[in-house]
């Protein structure tokens, strides 16, 4: 399946099917003719053709003349009004940006090189960026935070998701660490995030715990607060909370609508502690939340309204980063998220993917959707 969406400064191509060479050819045909002075591209491929990514990137550079490509592998990818999951697919978008207004980077530690953050030739400062990361990289969260801090840039993006090769693209294929593209302040972006979980109790306080173990909440065994918030029905059979109930770690300085969702790893019913996929310390705020389709659908609409208000009808193209825990399996139908974006913004050229974590500002979230629009 393929479709053609046009913009004056961006071109979009996407296709799904069995033969990656045909998919590539279909995408290339859709972006022709290239925008005048096209110099930047984003490309996302499903993990079923991840092994072909080196060839795809080489061909794109050779046949479009565009050297600067960024992107990632996902178990699902998306384009305007459509989502491709569990099938070979490619989605790519090319654009013409001011010369010198962006730079690609790769990083496999948490110390960005000085060259990454130097001003553009015209003296413009870095302002924003798209970042992709390898979920297997132990330092991925620290690296994202380090790039955001060093470049003083607002980041959006996601961690690759794949059964075999969670690769990224930054000019060429990147097999570990993080990578992406940083834009200077000549590139104007509007961004928004939507949550996939909703709080089921108040913001509480960790009073004992370390690393990923929450031992006490509000001076009592953590399990007591957990059971109080999830209710009697689930408390009687804690085996049912897996994949339904999560820990939420509120972001300092914000209200409880901005929180990092983390999986529950273990519950010790004898000693009353809870293990989560995150780190805590005494004094940290914590809440419990539930995956909720109705609340997530409403919050998606809220986010789109907010982004549309700030874009003021000037959007030229978009990129959407969603979680593999969302999509059809969560929303109960194919293409719900991208359909909502198209309903709000029309046939805006859009690409993106479903990842193992979503990046906003300087943090990695989970079960969220992050939208960025070029103005």
């Amino acid at each position: 399946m393929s479709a053609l969406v046009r913009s004056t400064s961006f071109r979009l191509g996407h296709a799904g099917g069995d033969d990656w060479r045909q998919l590539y050819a279909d995408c290339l045909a859709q972006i022709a003719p290239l925008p005048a002075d096209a110099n930047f591209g984003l490309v996302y491929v499903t993990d079923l053709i991840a092994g072909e990514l080196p060839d795809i990137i080489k061909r794109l550079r050779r046949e479009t003349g565009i050297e600067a490509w960024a992107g990632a592998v996902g178990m699902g990818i998306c384009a305007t009004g459509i989502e491709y999951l569990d099938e070979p697919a490619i989605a790519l978008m090319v654009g013409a940006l001011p010369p010198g207004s962006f730079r690609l980077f790769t990083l496999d530690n948490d110390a960005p090189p000085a060259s990454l953050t130097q001003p553009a030739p015209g003296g413009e400062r870095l302002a924003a960026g798209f970042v992709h990361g390898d979920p297997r990289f132990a330092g991925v969260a620290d690296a994202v935070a380090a790039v955001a801090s060093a470049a003083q840039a607002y980041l959006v993006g996601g961690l690759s998701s794949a059964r075999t090769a969670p690769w990224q693209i930054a000019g060429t294929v990147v097999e570990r660490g993080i990578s992406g593209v940083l834009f200077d302040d000549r590139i104007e972006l509007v961004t928004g995030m939507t949550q996939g979980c909703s709080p089921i109790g108040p913001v509480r306080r960790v009073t004992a715990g370390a690393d990923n173990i929450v031992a006490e909440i509000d001076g009592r065994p953590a399990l007591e607060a957990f059971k109080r918030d999830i209710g009697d029905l689930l408390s009687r059979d804690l085996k049912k909370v897996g994949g339904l109930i999560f820990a939420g770690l509120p972001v300092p300085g914000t209200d409880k609508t901005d929180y990092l969702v983390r999986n529950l790893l273990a519950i010790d019913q004898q000693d009353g502690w809870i293990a989560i996929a995150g780190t805590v310390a005494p004094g940290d705020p914590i809440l419990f939340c539930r995956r909720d389709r109705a609340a997530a659908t409403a919050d998606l609409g809220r986010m789109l309204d907010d982004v549309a208000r700030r874009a003021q009808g000037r959007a030229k193209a978009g990129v959407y980063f969603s979680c593999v825990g969302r999509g059809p399996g969560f929303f109960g139908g194919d293409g719900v998220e991208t359909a909502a974006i198209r309903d709000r913004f029309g046939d805006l050229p859009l690409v993106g993917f479903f990842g193992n974590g979503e990046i906003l500002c300087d943090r990695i979230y989970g079960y969220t959707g992050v939208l960025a629009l070029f103005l």
Side-chain angles (χ1 to χ4, degrees):
M1 181 175 181
S2 63
L4 180 64
V5 179
R6 293 225 181 260
S7 167
T8 56
S9 53
F10 290 88
R11 295 279 193 277
L12 169 67
H14 60 92
D18 294 328
D19 183 351
W20 76 267
R21 293 176 179 81
Q22 185 60 52
L23 303 184
Y24 173 85
D26 289 347
C27 288
L28 212 62
Q30 291 170 52
I31 63 173
L34 295 177
D37 301 319
N39 57 358
F40 174 70
L42 291 167
V43 57
Y44 297 95
V45 306
T46 55
D47 66 330
L48 295 178
I49 55 172
E52 313 301 339
L53 191 55
D55 284 341
I56 291 172
I57 299 304
K58 288 178 183 177
R59 293 182 63 171
L60 281 172
R61 296 175 66 179
R62 181 177 68 249
E63 295 173 27
T64 67
I66 297 172
E67 294 290 328
W69 289 91
V73 172
M75 294 178 71
I77 63 174
C78 62
T80 303
I82 192 169
E83 298 166 6
Y84 298 97
L85 295 102
D86 288 325
E87 66 171 308
I90 303 172
L92 58 88
M93 184 167 68
V94 298
L97 303 180
S101 64
F102 62 90
R103 67 191 65 177
L104 301 179
F105 74 91
T106 61
L107 183 68
D108 62 5
N109 55 57
D110 60 2
S115 60
L116 182 67
T117 59
Q118 291 174 352
E124 295 83 359
R125 69 176 185 86
L126 295 170
F130 296 153
V131 178
H132 307 100
D134 185 342
R136 303 169 301 180
F137 176 35
V140 64
D142 290 339
V144 168
V147 169
S149 176
Q152 290 295 290
Y154 195 93
L155 306 179
V156 297
L159 304 185
S160 300
S161 62
R163 279 154 281 211
T164 56
W167 293 342
Q168 312 151 57
I169 304 106
T172 59
V173 174
V174 179
E175 297 188 14
R176 70 181 306 272
I178 68 171
S179 68
V181 55
L182 293 173
F183 303 107
D184 70 26
D185 53 11
R186 287 174 288 176
I187 306 300
E188 190 175 359
L189 297 174
V190 171
T191 66
M193 183 183 73
T194 179
Q195 291 276 8
C197 297
S198 56
I200 56 175
V203 176
R204 302 182 181 278
R205 191 70 56 181
V206 175
T207 49
D211 297 325
N212 70 327
I213 303 298
V214 184
E216 291 184 3
I217 295 176
D218 296 340
R220 303 291 299 169
L223 188 55
E224 288 187 15
F226 180 72
K227 287 184 175 181
R228 189 178 306 123
D229 289 346
I230 66 175
D232 291 339
L233 186 61
L234 284 174
S235 294
R236 288 196 292 267
D237 187 358
L238 293 176
K239 294 179 181 178
K240 294 182 178 180
V241 304
L244 178 65
I245 305 297
F246 301 84
L249 305 179
V251 176
T254 67
D255 61 24
K256 71 178 182 180
T257 62
D258 189 8
Y259 51 91
L260 309 178
V261 175
R262 295 296 182 255
N263 291 330
L264 303 179
L265 301 181
I267 295 174
D268 188 311
Q269 298 193 56
Q270 179 176 340
D271 294 330
W273 55 256
I274 298 170
I276 68 173
T279 58
V280 296
D284 287 351
I286 191 170
L287 58 85
F288 295 105
C289 50
R290 179 183 182 125
R291 293 190 71 195
D292 186 322
R293 181 190 301 174
T297 301
D299 195 62
L300 176 61
R302 173 208 59 78
M303 183 268 284
L304 294 176
D305 288 344
D306 177 64
V307 170
R309 175 186 58 79
R310 291 184 285 124
Q312 298 181 334
R314 297 184 295 140
K316 298 176 182 177
V319 187
Y320 188 57
F321 306 95
S322 191
C323 178
V324 292
R326 292 167 64 93
F330 178 53
F331 285 102
D334 292 338
V336 171
E337 293 174 88
T338 52
I341 296 171
R342 183 179 58 187
D343 288 346
R344 195 67 184 80
F345 296 99
D347 284 332
L348 183 77
L350 178 135
V351 292
F353 80 114
F354 293 86
N356 265 322
E358 301 74 60
I359 296 167
L360 186 72
C361 188
D362 60 355
R363 296 180 176 89
I364 299 175
Y365 290 76
Y367 301 98
T368 60
V370 175
L371 176 65
L373 299 182
F374 287 96
L375 301 188

